[in-house]
Amino acid sequence: MASSGFRPLDDKSLIEYIKATPALSSKLANQLDGLQIKEVGDGNLNFVYIVISSSGSFVIKQALPYIRCIGESWPMTKERAYFEATALREQRRWCSDHVPEVYHFDREMALIGMRYLEPPHIILRKGLIAGIEYPLLAEHMSEFMARTLFFTSLLYHDTTEHKRAVAEFCGNVELCRLTEQVVFSDPYKVSQYNRWTSPYLDRDAEAVREDNILKLEVAELKSMFCERSQALVHGDLHTGSVMVTPDSTQVIDPEFGFYGPMGFDIGAFLGNLILAYFAQDGHADQVNDRKTYKEWILKAIEQTWNLFHKKFTALWDEHRNGSGEAYLPEIYNNSELQLLTQKKYMQGLLHDTLGFGAAKMIRRIVGVAHVEDFESIVDASKRANCERQALVFAKMLLKERRKFQAITEVVLAVQQEQS
Amino acid sequence: MASSGFRPLDDKSLIEYIKATPALSSKLANQLDGLQIKEVGDGNLNFVYIVISSSGSFVIKQALPYIRCIGESWPMTKERAYFEATALREQRRWCSDHVPEVYHFDREMALIGMRYLEPPHIILRKGLIAGIEYPLLAEHMSEFMARTLFFTSLLYHDTTEHKRAVAEFCGNVELCRLTEQVVFSDPYKVSQYNRWTSPYLDRDAEAVREDNILKLEVAELKSMFCERSQALVHGDLHTGSVMVTPDSTQVIDPEFGFYGPMGFDIGAFLGNLILAYFAQDGHADQVNDRKTYKEWILKAIEQTWNLFHKKFTALWDEHRNGSGEAYLPEIYNNSELQLLTQKKYMQGLLHDTLGFGAAKMIRRIVGVAHVEDFESIVDASKRANCERQALVFAKMLLKERRKFQAITEVVLAVQQEQS
C-alpha cells in the first residue's frame, strides 16, 4: 500500500486506495470490477462510503480535519479516527455481538475500513421515529454497556493497564472538548451555535440560561466528565449511534471514546430513548396514536437499566477473584459487604446516569445539535410542545436525580410529566 | 557529562559525577577540593547525599530500582525520580517560596541535584515530636496547597493542557499502586507487611479488618484516588515531607506525585497533624505536660484549612476570567451562583480531605509504615493508648466525614476524643 501523507478520498481515488490495500481488496475477493461506491452523506463529522461488489462489501469512513456538517470553519483533528478505530476494536473485544469488525485502519489517512451493516439495518433513531418495536434492544444494549464498561473499569483492570489506557485516550482531547462545549456549556449560556424552536421556546431557553440550581448541578457533571476515568466510554451513545434490525443491534461511531464516567454512556442512551418518548405525540396520527409504542419505549428504558444492572453485577461477581484492583477479595470478603458495595456502586451509577441523561436531553433541545425525533415534527407548535415536555422533565431529573432509587420511579415520572 | 546507562553512585563516584556535570560543579564555583559528602541514610526509598564545599552546597538524590528501607525484594521503578523532578519543578513554578530549586536532573541515572535545605531546617515531624511551635506553618502550608492544587486543576487549566499533564503522570503508576496497597488495601486485610503495637492493639487491628462500613467508605476513597484527576497532588504530603525553620517551610519528596484528588494532599497533611496531636501525651513529662502544645497543633489544623479555603477561593475569584474551563464566566455569571458553586466545591473538598486524612491516619497505626510520632514513645502500653485514641477518631472521621460542615467541628471532635 502506497500511502504518503493525508489526502481526502473521492469515489475515484477510493478505488485506487482499495486496490492498493490487501486488507480491503481481499474482502472483495480481489474482484474490483463493477464496484458500487455510495457516499452516505449523512455523517455529521466524517465522510462515509459504502463499497459493495458481487463478492463482498465494507464501509470506508474517513475523518477530515474539520467537522463535516459545519465545514472548515470548525476544525477538528482527524486523529479522532485513530481513537474511533481503537475504541471499536476494544469494544468488539469485549462485545463482538454488538460491535462491527474493523478490517483496516490507516492512521495517516484517518481512514477506517469496517463491516458494512447491510439492510435491513437502519439507524435506531429512525426506527423509533417510525414506531418500530425492537424486542431485543434492551437485551442487546444492556449487554453492550455492561461488557464494554465493566471490562475497561478497575473492576476488571489492574491499575497498571488502567492508567496506560487512560493515558492513551487522553490524546482524544479535542473530541472531549467538543462534548464539554456542546453538552455542558453552550446550552447554559448565549452561544451562536444554540438554537431552539423559536419563538415557542424562547422563554424556555432563557430559563435554562438563568437557572442557578441547574447550572450548579451541570458543573458537577462536567467535572465528573473531565476528571473521572472510570471506564472506556463510547462517548456519544445516542440512538443515532446504534444500527438495528429486529435481530441485530450494532453500536458504531465511538470517535468520542475516552476514559470517562460510565453514566455518560448509559445516560446518553436512556436520555435519547426518553427524547424519543416525548416526540411520539408529534408523530401520532389517525392510523396510529402511538400509545402502545410509548409504552414499549418506557419498557425498553426500564429493561435496559435493569438488565444492565443484572449483567454488570453478574460480571462483577464472576470476576471477583480476577485482576481487578478496586475491590480486593481479601478485603471484600463477606457476602453482606459485597452486597453493600455493589448496592452503593450501582446507586451512584444510576444517579450519574440520570444526571448525564438529563444533560444530554437538554442540549438536544436548546443546544447546537438537535435530534430527528423532534426535527421531523413539521408543525413547529406541536414540536415545541413535545420539546417543552422533554425539557421540563430533564431539568427536574438533573436537579432531583439523587431522589430516584430505581428506574421504575424514573419511568413513572416520565409518564406523569405527560398526564 | 559522560553518562551511559544507570549506575548507583557512592561517595567516590559521586565526586566524578559532579566534576563532569557543570550544572552541579558550578554551584560549588568549580572548586571541588575539600568537598564534604554525607549520605543522609534515613531515606525510606532513595539514597540522599549532602554535598558541601566552602563556596556552595546541594543535595543529590538518587532512586534505586527498589525500595531502600525494604531492600531489593521490593522492586520499584527508578523512573520515580523523573516524576519527582517534574513535580518539584511544577510545584516550584507555582509556589517558589515553599519548594526547593532543582539544579539538575539526569533521567538515566534517576538522579536529582537540588537545593540543600541548610540547618536549622529540620523535618517538621521531628519538630512536632520535640514540641516546637511553627507560627508560620499554617500560612505557608495553606499557601503551598492552595497554589499547587489550584494552578494544576481545571479551575486554571484548559482541558487540553490538563489532559496532557494527566497523561504524563499516568506514567507514575508504580508509585500510585504502592499507595493503593499501603493506604487503601493492606490495613483492611491480613498482610505480611502490616504491624501494630502488639499485643495491645491486636483486637483493634482485627476490628479494622472486620468493619464492613469502614471498608465500604474506604472503597469510595480508593476509587476516587484511582479515577479522579483533579489536580497535580504531591501524593505523600505528611509531616515528614516538610522541612521547617521558624521562618521557612519547604515541601520536598513529591515522587508519588500524579493527577489525583486534591483532598488526598490536604488530608495527608491534616491527618498527620492529628496523629502528632494524639502522640503528645506520650511525649509529656514533668517538665512539659504538652497541653499548650496540643492547643497549638489544633490551632494549626484549623488555620491551615481556613487559610487554604481563603487562598484557594481567592485564586479562583482572581482567575475567574482566565483559561480555566471548569466554570466558564458566561455561565457562572452572577454572584449568587458563584457563591453557590464555591460553597459546594469547598464542601466536597472538605469531605474528601477528612476521608483521605482519616485513611492516612489508620494506615500509620495498623499498616506497614508507621510514624516516628508514635514510634518514639518507648513505653509500648502508653504508645498503644495514644495510637488507639487516634485510630478510634480516624474510624469515626472516615465514616462520618460528610456530617462535618467546618474544620472547627473537626477540631472539637479531636478534643472530645481525648476528654
Side-chain angles (χ1 to χ4, degrees):
Chain A
M1 194 192 77
S3 159
S4 63
F6 174 81
R7 59 189 196 285
L9 292 178
D10 54 27
D11 291 30
K12 206 175 140 200
S13 55
L14 179 56
I15 295 182
E16 293 311 308
Y17 185 89
I18 294 168
K19 271 189 192 159
T21 309
L24 295 175
S25 53
S26 65
K27 287 281 158 194
L28 310 173
N30 299 306
Q31 188 47 260
L32 274 68
D33 298 334
L35 214 54
Q36 285 182 49
I37 295 188
K38 197 176 90 186
E39 212 278 304
V40 177
D42 70 346
N44 268 337
L45 271 68
N46 306 294
F47 283 83
V48 178
Y49 301 88
I50 296 168
V51 179
I52 300 180
S53 82
S54 52
S55 35
S57 66
F58 50 77
V59 156
I60 295 289
K61 187 169 176 181
Q62 187 176 36
L64 268 56
Y66 52 84
I67 297 181
R68 179 183 181 174
C69 66
I70 292 178
E72 301 192 27
S73 65
W74 194 329
M76 184 56 56
T77 174
K78 61 186 175 53
E79 263 293 274
R80 63 185 188 266
Y82 169 74
F83 294 102
E84 176 168 357
T86 306
L88 273 172
R89 283 168 166 159
E90 181 71 8
Q91 289 167 342
R92 187 168 159 84
R93 180 178 167 206
W94 300 116
C95 192
S96 59
D97 286 352
H98 304 298
V99 181
E101 187 182 351
V102 172
Y103 302 141
H104 169 70
F105 175 61
D106 181 338
R107 191 164 182 172
E108 237 179 326
M109 289 288 282
L111 181 151
I112 299 172
M114 58 189 284
R115 178 186 162 193
Y116 168 50
L117 294 165
E118 69 291 341
H121 277 103
I122 60 166
I123 296 286
L124 171 58
R125 194 185 298 285
K126 291 183 189 292
L128 294 167
I129 294 166
I132 303 168
E133 294 187 16
Y134 294 95
L136 296 173
L137 182 67
E139 185 72 42
H140 289 172
M141 285 304 293
S142 61
E143 181 86 1
F144 172 81
M145 295 191 293
R147 294 186 64 85
T148 60
L149 297 176
F150 177 85
F151 285 111
T152 60
S153 77
L154 282 162
L155 295 172
Y156 184 78
H157 276 171
D158 67 34
T159 297
T160 306
E161 60 189 324
H162 199 69
K163 284 216 191 281
R164 189 210 56 74
V166 169
E168 170 156 36
F169 277 93
C170 278
N172 204 16
V173 57
E174 278 198 43
L175 281 276
C176 289
R177 269 189 109 157
L178 180 57
T179 301
E180 287 171 35
Q181 179 183 340
V182 298
V183 176
F184 299 107
S185 297
D186 281 355
Y188 305 93
K189 67 185 187 64
V190 175
S191 161
Q192 56 168 315
Y193 301 110
N194 289 343
R195 58 189 187 84
W196 53 83
T197 303
S198 187
Y200 307 96
L201 297 185
D202 289 0
R203 183 65 204 106
D204 303 82
E206 194 186 356
V208 167
R209 297 195 301 270
E210 289 176 357
D211 190 330
N212 279 359
I213 303 302
L214 196 66
K215 292 178 181 184
L216 189 67
E217 293 294 341
V218 165
E220 184 179 329
L221 293 171
K222 185 180 178 184
S223 287
M224 206 194 301
F225 180 83
C226 294
E227 294 173 350
R228 186 168 185 197
S229 307
Q230 194 177 20
L232 176 59
V233 298
H234 177 286
D236 198 25
L237 195 53
H238 55 78
T239 51
S241 296
V242 182
M243 296 199 71
V244 284
T245 72
D247 309 313
S248 166
T249 307
Q250 302 292 324
V251 178
I252 58 172
D253 291 354
E255 60 205 299
F256 287 84
F258 78 113
Y259 275 74
M262 295 179 182
F264 191 73
D265 271 4
I266 316 169
F269 186 67
L270 297 187
N272 274 270
L273 286 183
I274 300 175
L275 289 178
Y277 175 90
F278 282 111
Q280 291 304 316
D281 285 357
H283 304 305
D285 54 29
Q286 284 99 326
V287 183
N288 187 345
D289 64 7
R290 298 282 179 130
K291 285 208 172 111
T292 314
Y293 194 60
K294 283 164 72 175
E295 290 306 312
W296 177 81
I297 296 178
L298 294 183
K299 209 76 196 151
I301 292 168
E302 190 177 323
Q303 285 181 344
T304 300
W305 172 263
N306 286 337
L307 286 169
F308 170 81
H309 188 293
K310 188 179 150 197
K311 289 164 196 240
F312 190 88
T313 53
L315 288 170
W316 188 341
D317 290 336
E318 189 185 333
H319 293 276
R320 225 173 245 301
N321 299 309
S323 52
E325 293 196 330
Y327 297 85
L328 301 182
E330 308 95 301
I331 300 174
Y332 299 89
N333 55 359
N334 63 76
S335 55
E336 188 199 340
L337 180 54
Q338 289 166 358
L339 220 63
L340 273 173
T341 49
Q342 281 193 345
K343 200 176 158 191
K344 185 173 174 180
Y345 192 102
M346 298 311 285
Q347 197 67 235
L349 189 47
L350 177 62
H351 294 159
D352 296 351
T353 295
L354 300 180
F356 286 120
K360 301 279 259 179
M361 290 176 68
I362 292 168
R363 74 99 157 198
R364 294 296 193 178
I365 299 165
V366 297
V368 53
H370 286 227
V371 288
E372 201 183 330
D373 310 65
F374 292 128
E375 297 296 287
S376 59
I377 302 168
V378 181
D379 181 331
S381 152
K382 198 193 260 187
R383 179 168 74 245
N385 282 336
C386 293
E387 289 175 322
R388 184 178 294 113
Q389 285 183 330
L391 185 61
V392 169
F393 176 79
K395 285 167 64 175
M396 178 284 294
L397 190 62
L398 210 159
K399 294 180 196 175
E400 310 289 335
R401 65 190 185 278
R402 296 177 195 83
K403 294 185 183 156
F404 292 89
Q405 302 288 310
I407 195 72
T408 46
E409 299 165 19
V410 181
V411 165
L412 208 65
V414 172
Q415 283 175 309
Q416 281 166 349
E417 188 60 50
Q418 277 215 326
S419 61
Chain B
M1 196 194 76
S3 159
S4 63
F6 175 81
R7 60 191 195 283
L9 293 178
D10 54 28
D11 290 29
K12 208 175 137 199
S13 56
L14 178 56
I15 295 181
E16 294 311 308
Y17 185 89
I18 294 167
K19 271 189 194 161
T21 309
L24 294 175
S25 54
S26 66
K27 287 281 158 194
L28 310 172
N30 299 307
Q31 188 47 262
L32 273 71
D33 298 335
L35 212 57
Q36 285 182 47
I37 294 188
K38 198 176 88 184
E39 211 280 301
V40 177
D42 69 348
N44 267 339
L45 271 69
N46 306 295
F47 283 83
V48 178
Y49 301 88
I50 296 168
V51 179
I52 301 180
S53 81
S54 53
S55 35
S57 66
F58 50 76
V59 156
I60 294 290
K61 187 169 176 182
Q62 187 176 36
L64 269 57
Y66 52 83
I67 297 181
R68 180 183 180 174
C69 67
I70 292 178
E72 302 193 26
S73 66
W74 194 329
M76 185 56 55
T77 175
K78 61 186 174 56
E79 264 292 275
R80 64 186 187 266
Y82 169 74
F83 294 103
E84 177 168 357
T86 307
L88 273 172
R89 284 168 166 160
E90 182 70 7
Q91 289 166 343
R92 186 169 159 82
R93 180 179 167 204
W94 300 116
C95 191
S96 59
D97 287 351
H98 305 298
V99 182
E101 187 181 350
V102 172
Y103 301 141
H104 170 70
F105 175 61
D106 181 337
R107 190 163 183 172
E108 235 179 330
M109 289 287 283
L111 181 150
I112 299 171
M114 57 189 285
R115 177 185 163 194
Y116 168 50
L117 295 165
E118 68 291 341
H121 277 104
I122 61 166
I123 295 285
L124 170 59
R125 194 186 296 286
K126 291 184 190 291
L128 294 166
I129 294 166
I132 304 168
E133 293 186 15
Y134 294 96
L136 296 173
L137 183 67
E139 184 73 42
H140 289 170
M141 286 304 294
S142 62
E143 181 85 2
F144 171 82
M145 294 190 295
R147 294 186 63 87
T148 60
L149 297 176
F150 177 85
F151 285 112
T152 60
S153 77
L154 282 162
L155 295 172
Y156 184 77
H157 276 171
D158 67 35
T159 297
T160 306
E161 61 188 323
H162 199 69
K163 285 218 190 278
R164 189 210 56 74
V166 168
E168 170 156 38
F169 277 92
C170 278
N172 204 16
V173 56
E174 278 198 44
L175 281 276
C176 290
R177 269 190 107 157
L178 180 57
T179 301
E180 286 171 36
Q181 179 183 340
V182 299
V183 177
F184 299 106
S185 297
D186 281 355
Y188 305 93
K189 68 185 187 68
V190 174
S191 161
Q192 55 166 318
Y193 301 109
N194 288 344
R195 58 189 187 83
W196 53 84
T197 302
S198 186
Y200 307 96
L201 298 185
D202 288 0
R203 184 65 203 106
D204 302 81
E206 195 185 355
V208 167
R209 295 195 301 270
E210 289 176 356
D211 189 329
N212 279 359
I213 303 303
L214 196 65
K215 293 179 182 183
L216 189 66
E217 292 295 341
V218 165
E220 184 179 328
L221 292 171
K222 185 180 178 185
S223 287
M224 206 194 302
F225 180 83
C226 295
E227 294 173 351
R228 187 169 183 196
S229 306
Q230 195 178 19
L232 176 59
V233 298
H234 177 286
D236 198 27
L237 196 54
H238 54 78
T239 52
S241 296
V242 181
M243 296 198 72
V244 283
T245 72
D247 309 312
S248 166
T249 307
Q250 302 292 325
V251 178
I252 58 172
D253 292 353
E255 61 206 296
F256 286 84
F258 77 113
Y259 275 75
M262 296 179 180
F264 191 73
D265 272 3
I266 316 169
F269 186 68
L270 297 186
N272 274 269
L273 286 183
I274 300 175
L275 289 177
Y277 175 91
F278 282 110
Q280 291 304 316
D281 285 357
H283 303 304
D285 54 28
Q286 283 101 327
V287 183
N288 187 345
D289 65 6
R290 300 280 178 129
K291 286 210 171 110
T292 314
Y293 194 60
K294 283 164 70 175
E295 289 306 311
W296 177 79
I297 295 179
L298 294 183
K299 208 75 197 155
I301 292 169
E302 191 176 323
Q303 284 181 345
T304 301
W305 172 263
N306 286 336
L307 285 169
F308 169 81
H309 189 292
K310 188 180 150 196
K311 289 165 196 241
F312 190 89
T313 52
L315 287 169
W316 188 341
D317 289 337
E318 189 185 333
H319 294 276
R320 225 173 246 299
N321 298 309
S323 53
E325 294 197 329
Y327 297 86
L328 300 182
E330 307 94 303
I331 301 175
Y332 299 90
N333 55 359
N334 63 76
S335 56
E336 189 200 339
L337 180 54
Q338 290 167 357
L339 219 63
L340 274 172
T341 48
Q342 281 193 345
K343 200 177 157 190
K344 184 172 175 180
Y345 192 102
M346 298 310 284
Q347 198 65 235
L349 188 46
L350 177 62
H351 294 160
D352 296 350
T353 295
L354 300 180
F356 286 120
K360 300 279 258 178
M361 290 176 68
I362 292 168
R363 74 100 157 194
R364 293 296 193 177
I365 298 164
V366 298
V368 53
H370 285 228
V371 288
E372 201 182 331
D373 311 64
F374 292 128
E375 297 296 288
S376 58
I377 302 169
V378 182
D379 181 329
S381 153
K382 197 193 261 185
R383 179 168 74 244
N385 281 336
C386 293
E387 289 175 322
R388 185 179 294 113
Q389 284 183 330
L391 184 62
V392 168
F393 176 79
K395 285 167 63 175
M396 178 284 294
L397 189 62
L398 210 158
K399 294 180 196 175
E400 310 289 333
R401 64 189 186 279
R402 295 177 196 85
K403 293 184 182 154
F404 291 90
Q405 301 288 311
I407 195 72
T408 46
E409 298 165 18
V410 181
V411 165
L412 207 66
V414 172
Q415 284 174 309
Q416 283 168 346
E417 189 58 51
Q418 276 214 327
S419 62

